[in-house]
Amino acid sequence: MKVLKFGGTSVGSVNGILSVKKIVEAEVGPVIVVVSALSGITDQLYKVAKLASEGNASYISEYDQMMSRHLEVIDGVVDSAKKENVLTQVKSQFVDLSNILRGIFLIKDISTKIIDTIVSYGESISSVIVSNAIENAVHFDSKEFVKTENQFEKHIVDFEKTNLLIREKFSDLPKISVCGGFISTDCNTNFITNLGRGGSDYTAAIIAAALHADILEIWTDVDGFMTADPRIIDNAYVIDKLSFIEAMELCNFGAKVIYPPTIFPVFHQNIPVVIKNTFNPEALGTYISRDKVNERAKAIKGISSINDTSLITVQGLGMVGVIGVNYRIFRVLAKNGISVFLVSQASSENTTSIGVRNADSALAVEVLRKEFAYEISQGEINDIFSEDDLATVAIVGDNMKRTPGIAGKLFGTLGKNGINVVACAQGASETNISFVTDRKSLRKALNVIHDSFFLSEYQVLNIYIVGIGTVGSSLINQIKMQQKKLMAQNGLKLNVVGIASSKKMLFDREGLDLENYSADLKNTGADASPELICREILNLNIFNSVFVDCTANAQISDLYKTLLENNVSVVTANKIAASSAYENYVNLKEISRRRGVKFLFETNVGAGLPIINTMNNLINSGDHIEKMEAVLSGTLNYIFNTISSEIPLSKAILMSKEAGFSEPDPRIDLSGKDVIRKLVILAREAGYRVEQSDVVKNLFIPDKYFSGSLDDFWKNINELDAEFEQKRKALSANGKRWRFVATMENGNCKVGLQEVDSLHPFYDLQGSNNIILITTERYNEFPMMIKGYGAGAGVTAAGVFSDIMSIANIR
Ligand code: ADP
Ligand code: ASP
Ligand code: MG
């Protein structure tokens, strides 16, 4: 014999009930079908009760809406032969309900008893509809056999009476029986009661246990018990097997799939539970049983959470070594019907922290203060307060007890992501580690844990891209092209969660549409500023996130410190931060190290060329960088390679801008500032303390061209053309070329124009290419040489992309 429970969504629509019908009618042996109210109806019943009791006539329209929804469902699922009869039964129940509501509307008062009566109509009616939709099904009224007694104002199942009544009622088992879940009656007064929100699962388990069913099937709207709440973790997946203990731990800590008390009766009778999807019956679902744990299975099976947590701390030096303090805490809480789901006590014994639901926190504080009034007045115990707006997360798995290091990994991962742990507890059974954190960190905590324990089939990297000029837009394009492949081959999901231009910004934690972001920014983007961008990122508080700066803006680079402090990695093509005051550069690196996130700027020098990484690798392996000689300005190299008798200096400058090589303001390149910044960054990465002002300059354009406006510059720069052409001719006649060279020797830096002959490795440097010769202790007689495109949107974007990938630890 089987017990099948169908939840609210399963019976909440015509299609749902038709699936239920198909599933039940396909059964061969006898089945008892337990159903919830139609989805949302219980909530609506609580709502109408409240409205009517407040004298608010709008309860009538809610009531009408509920009735018409039921009538519509009847129309779609009940055969025409039976329809009239079912409509009469259901309408008569609605009339009773309407009379009760009218009564409380008039007297403007309501009691819990009446509320319990009102909400019972959901299951009373749905069970009639479902039993008439299924061929040859017999209807049973659960109120006649599920009995409760009152304890601490809660309805607790009276198992003795209930079991007897169930066995009596079902002694003659029809092939298909249907009854409502959730509803019950008081064993003394016979008043209508219920088993609590979500209680239909419990009804089904109670019946299954009383009748020693072979199996209990919980049919719902997901493919099974998942590794985490799929509404929060979109890559959560179905767990095929769970032990009763694991299922119980997960449910107790908020996994909504099964109402927590459900597990015990079936566990006690060793009746396996299967979670199945009414809308996808082929899916295997989750099998919960006493089966031995597979020792090779993952250490952690699932994560669950409770988002309304209050933490009450009883603390005081007077508690140390005093026997009975905890006894008094729990006694007084139990006496007042307050359930405690987490306890944490330090071994010093001077603090006990207790996790309770928000709704219980005020009462808990009140009764604890009363209980310890004397000790508080004597200063032995501090005054007792509750900390609200917290959330509890539990990670669960039988195999945790065989796997050392889980707690270390858990708290390490949380710390790295800036998630503060307020209290934690691990049961000695080691099946569950729970911790309390701020409610606003909950989503992030669940995500990072899910990710880091490889519960996910793929890893997620969340990316904010600021600046959608040539580099930014090229990067977005590259990400778009690679997304599918990275997911398929590397199990990496690149999720672009924010895009901002200098004017507009768009954010979506689920990921933005990279096809239409430009139009979306224009049409639906919010106004942007560096502060607003930063605020939004901190508000979103998304795990594993990277801020990508594709601007040349100083205010944007000023955000790095805050972002890194908040555990957001930074990847930047913007050179301002790494070349700013040495203190700032070191500080950013230090914060990123402390926070366990990355601050990467490979593209600051040589665009996509692997220069900084290579230097880091050399140094990390014990080498020492003595000297660097480099052509680091793609723009200047392009200009010197382009100038000819036909193309004067001013035109070559304009061409370099139009080709996308130069900075938006080409004077930054021409004044050597860009090269100085790069050289400073390289020298620092090589281990030297260098400021921009330390670099000796030998420029080729007089200072006066840099002091006016950009317009003045463009207007006047052709004044230099003739003189330049003369020098160029003479140089060319000598078989030489100009290169703008940056040099660092033991920390001394200089930049300037150099004439190189055909034997020099820089002579043949084509187009906008860059080159660097690195002389180290190991690469001494023959320096290491890195050469290639040193500017351009595509290669720079690729370099940024490569930094992003190194954060995901995938190459
Ligand atoms: P029913 O109405 O069938 O009783 P519930 O809404 O009570 O269904 O429970 C199913 C829902 O529980 C799913 O739709 C899902 O959103 C949510 N849920 C929360 N945590 C989990 C989890 N770990 N696995 C599966 N579903 C979960
Ligand atoms: N209908 C009840 C509720 O919404 C019971 C259930 O769905 O399990 O809480
Ligand atoms: Mg449920």
Side-chain angles (χ1 to χ4, degrees):
M1 196 272 293
K2 285 179 163 187
V3 176
L4 274 58
K5 179 261 170 175
F6 291 90
T9 28
S10 305
V11 299
S13 62
V14 171
N15 272 345
I17 299 186
L18 293 178
S19 302
V20 171
K21 178 177 157 70
K22 215 161 135 195
I23 292 161
V24 174
E25 288 175 0
E27 288 293 337
V28 276
V31 291
I32 299 180
V33 175
V34 178
V35 295
S36 294
L38 273 59
S39 50
I41 290 295
T42 311
D43 286 323
Q44 219 168 355
L45 286 164
Y46 277 107
K47 188 172 167 196
V48 284
K50 184 161 183 284
L51 288 172
S53 70
E54 290 164 354
N56 186 336
S58 68
Y59 85 86
I60 298 172
S61 60
E62 290 278 339
Y63 167 89
D64 287 343
Q65 200 227 334
M66 275 194 291
M67 179 147 81
S68 50
R69 194 168 150 215
H70 282 87
L71 300 186
E72 251 170 59
V73 167
I74 294 171
D75 200 46
V77 302
V78 180
D79 280 354
S80 46
K82 284 200 216 160
K83 206 173 276 176
E84 211 43 52
N85 180 328
V86 176
L87 282 173
T88 315
Q89 281 187 58
V90 169
K91 278 182 185 163
S92 129
Q93 295 215 42
F94 268 105
V95 170
D96 293 347
L97 172 61
S98 146
N99 287 335
I100 300 173
L101 291 171
R102 174 92 190 136
I104 57 175
F105 173 71
L106 291 175
I107 59 170
K108 291 197 183 53
D109 194 15
I110 196 164
S111 65
T112 5
K113 262 191 242 159
I114 305 295
I115 295 177
D116 288 345
T117 305
I118 292 172
V119 298
S120 74
Y121 279 89
E123 271 75 4
S124 283
I125 298 172
S126 68
S127 57
V128 169
I129 299 175
V130 175
S131 67
N132 282 285
I134 300 171
E135 204 118 346
N136 296 323
V138 182
H139 181 258
F140 287 80
D141 185 353
S142 317
K143 297 194 287 291
E144 292 173 4
F145 52 81
V146 182
K147 290 288 174 185
T148 60
E149 57 184 333
N150 202 327
Q151 280 180 21
F152 306 121
E153 300 308 308
K154 290 191 174 111
H155 307 303
I156 308 296
V157 175
D158 178 338
F159 274 99
E160 212 171 304
K161 291 203 176 97
T162 303
N163 286 344
L164 278 175
L165 286 168
I166 291 174
R167 284 174 201 141
E168 205 177 288
K169 278 278 164 199
F170 293 94
S171 57
D172 236 354
L173 203 58
K175 163 110 193 298
I176 302 172
S177 319
V178 177
C179 62
F182 179 62
I183 49 182
S184 48
T185 43
D186 186 275
C187 59
N188 299 312
T189 61
N190 242 2
F191 281 130
I192 296 177
T193 57
N194 64 58
L195 305 185
R197 296 308 308 272
S200 296
D201 302 332
Y202 194 21
T203 309
I206 294 166
I207 298 175
L211 298 177
H212 305 289
D214 299 312
I215 195 160
L216 165 63
E217 296 182 356
I218 308 261
W219 289 80
T220 180
D221 59 351
V222 280
D223 280 351
F225 213 118
M226 304 179 86
T227 48
D229 187 339
R231 289 162 302 185
I232 303 181
I233 309 287
D234 59 7
N235 51 357
Y237 58 90
V238 174
I239 308 166
D240 56 353
K241 278 186 179 167
L242 283 172
S243 71
F244 281 117
I245 305 289
E246 288 170 333
M248 191 137 41
E249 297 271 21
L250 286 167
C251 294
N252 272 338
F253 279 91
K256 199 192 163 206
V257 221
I258 309 178
Y259 182 51
T262 307
I263 305 288
F264 186 70
V266 279
F267 161 71
H268 193 58
Q269 296 289 330
N270 196 13
I271 300 168
V273 182
V274 186
I275 316 288
K276 296 273 290 176
N277 190 349
T278 307
F279 303 94
N280 183 20
E282 287 75 36
L284 294 177
T286 302
Y287 188 77
I288 304 169
S289 69
R290 269 197 200 163
D291 285 358
K292 268 193 95 61
V293 253
N294 170 1
E295 305 227 338
R296 295 214 321 274
K298 285 192 172 115
I300 293 185
K301 285 287 194 60
I303 316 166
S304 59
S305 61
I306 298 172
N307 72 0
D308 71 327
T309 298
S310 293
L311 198 69
I312 299 170
T313 300
V314 182
Q315 183 179 30
L317 288 176
M319 285 166 69
V320 181
V322 178
I323 293 176
V325 174
N326 283 338
Y327 166 69
R328 287 169 61 195
I329 294 174
F330 293 112
R331 183 186 58 184
V332 70
L333 293 175
K335 242 181 86 197
N336 287 278
I338 296 165
S339 140
V340 173
F341 57 80
L342 176 133
V343 184
S344 156
Q345 182 180 34
S347 55
S348 68
E349 284 188 53
N350 74 352
T351 306
T352 299
S353 295
I354 300 145
V356 300
R357 296 274 183 175
N358 287 154
D360 290 332
S361 106
L363 179 64
V365 169
E366 187 189 319
V367 300
L368 285 168
R369 277 184 181 161
K370 235 184 244 158
E371 174 70 33
F372 292 102
Y374 174 75
E375 287 83 354
I376 293 172
S377 73
Q378 297 301 303
E380 289 165 11
I381 287 182
N382 303 346
D383 194 10
I384 297 167
F385 291 100
S386 74
E387 216 178 319
D388 300 326
D389 296 325
L390 301 173
T392 308
V393 177
I395 64 171
V396 171
D398 282 342
N399 269 354
M400 284 202 304
K401 53 175 159 284
R402 294 178 191 83
T403 320
I406 298 276
K409 184 169 171 187
L410 171 69
F411 294 114
T413 310
L414 293 170
K416 233 174 162 177
N417 280 279
I419 296 162
N420 189 29
V421 172
V422 185
C424 63
Q426 175 176 29
S429 71
E430 286 188 54
T431 313
N432 170 333
I433 303 177
S434 347
F435 66 91
V436 177
T437 183
D438 292 339
R439 194 185 293 161
K440 64 178 184 348
S441 303
L442 176 60
R443 180 180 278 273
K444 188 172 179 183
L446 291 174
N447 271 293
V448 293
I449 301 170
H450 201 267
D451 228 54
S452 73
F453 282 96
F454 301 101
L455 287 169
S456 306
E457 282 163 285
Y458 54 88
Q459 198 192 343
V460 185
L461 198 62
N462 294 295
I463 306 171
Y464 301 99
I465 298 171
V466 179
I468 50 166
T470 52
V471 175
S473 55
S474 181
L475 173 66
I476 294 174
N477 221 14
Q478 290 178 12
I479 292 178
K480 188 178 79 192
M481 310 288 280
Q482 283 301 99
Q483 265 170 335
K484 264 211 189 103
K485 192 168 154 207
L486 288 171
M487 179 67 137
Q489 295 184 356
N490 304 76
L492 174 67
K493 179 176 173 185
L494 290 183
N495 204 23
V496 178
V497 288
I499 296 182
S501 68
S502 54
K503 296 191 186 73
K504 295 280 180 188
M505 57 186 192
L506 269 181
F507 291 93
D508 184 348
R509 67 163 69 241
E510 303 307 328
L512 293 166
D513 170 11
L514 301 188
E515 198 67 56
N516 301 307
Y517 74 90
S518 184
D520 291 346
L521 261 181
K522 219 177 283 158
N523 301 331
T524 55
D527 288 343
S529 72
E531 293 68 37
L532 291 172
I533 293 171
C534 187
R535 196 181 311 159
E536 187 62 28
I537 293 174
L538 299 189
N539 265 343
L540 280 168
N541 198 14
I542 301 182
F543 77 113
N544 279 2
S545 52
V546 191
F547 178 83
V548 181
D549 180 0
C550 298
T551 74
N553 185 305
Q555 281 172 292
I556 297 288
S557 67
D558 285 345
L559 304 178
Y560 302 168
K561 181 166 181 283
T562 311
L563 292 166
L564 292 168
E565 288 279 16
N566 284 279
N567 298 78
V568 178
S569 290
V570 172
V571 167
T572 179
N574 180 347
K575 303 170 196 85
I576 295 176
S579 62
S580 64
Y582 185 78
E583 290 299 334
N584 188 43
Y585 156 86
V586 170
N587 191 27
L588 292 174
K589 293 200 114 185
E590 208 279 313
I591 297 171
S592 68
R593 208 172 9 249
R594 186 157 39 82
R595 286 282 165 185
V597 290
K598 300 258 175 88
F599 170 44
L600 301 176
F601 41 87
E602 174 66 87
T603 52
N604 281 191
V605 182
L609 296 178
I611 299 175
I612 294 179
N613 253 324
T614 308
M615 283 173 44
N616 286 334
N617 290 341
L618 289 174
I619 293 169
N620 291 341
S621 64
D623 206 347
H624 178 72
I625 295 176
E626 294 167 350
K627 185 175 170 191
M628 293 185 285
E629 284 173 278
V631 171
L632 296 175
S633 170
T635 308
L636 295 184
N637 204 48
Y638 174 88
I639 291 171
F640 294 130
N641 281 336
T642 306
I643 302 176
S644 66
S645 48
E646 281 88 51
I647 305 176
L649 173 70
S650 60
K651 177 138 189 239
I653 296 173
L654 188 64
M655 285 166 71
S656 82
K657 178 169 159 51
E658 281 166 357
F661 295 137
S662 77
E663 293 284 315
D665 179 349
R667 292 175 302 174
I668 303 224
D669 298 296
L670 296 167
S671 65
K673 188 161 181 61
D674 179 65
V675 177
I676 290 171
R677 282 178 180 165
K678 288 171 178 165
L679 183 60
V680 164
I681 295 170
L682 287 183
R684 287 173 178 178
E685 289 291 299
Y688 300 95
R689 183 183 181 122
V690 174
E691 298 287 359
Q692 288 190 34
S693 54
D694 298 334
V695 180
V696 178
K697 306 188 270 191
N698 167 23
L699 298 182
F700 59 98
I701 291 183
D703 271 351
K704 69 171 191 183
Y705 291 93
F706 301 126
S707 48
S709 71
L710 187 58
D711 279 347
D712 291 341
F713 169 80
W714 284 119
K715 225 179 290 156
N716 302 331
I717 191 67
N718 60 3
E719 294 167 6
L720 294 178
D721 287 353
E723 185 196 335
F724 234 81
E725 174 54 15
Q726 231 175 22
K727 284 192 191 158
R728 189 198 63 80
K729 251 196 216 141
L731 190 70
S732 174
N734 278 336
K736 288 187 176 174
R737 288 177 179 163
W738 277 316
R739 296 291 175 233
F740 194 77
V741 179
T743 315
M744 193 264 343
E745 200 159 1
N746 297 321
N748 299 313
C749 297
K750 60 177 192 213
V751 299
L753 209 54
Q754 252 183 44
E755 297 172 359
V756 296
D757 61 26
S758 63
L759 295 177
H760 197 284
F762 295 174
Y763 182 83
D764 270 330
L765 197 65
Q766 303 291 314
S768 68
N769 283 3
N770 279 192
I771 187 167
I772 182 164
L773 302 176
I774 306 173
T775 309
T776 73
E777 256 168 45
R778 293 184 194 139
Y779 290 85
N780 211 287
E781 195 178 344
F782 304 104
M784 180 187 274
M785 181 165 95
I786 302 168
K787 177 178 168 184
Y789 292 130
V795 287
T796 308
V800 171
F801 200 165
S802 155
D803 272 351
I804 296 175
M805 295 299 291
S806 75
I807 292 179
N809 274 334
I810 291 169
R811 282 224 163 241

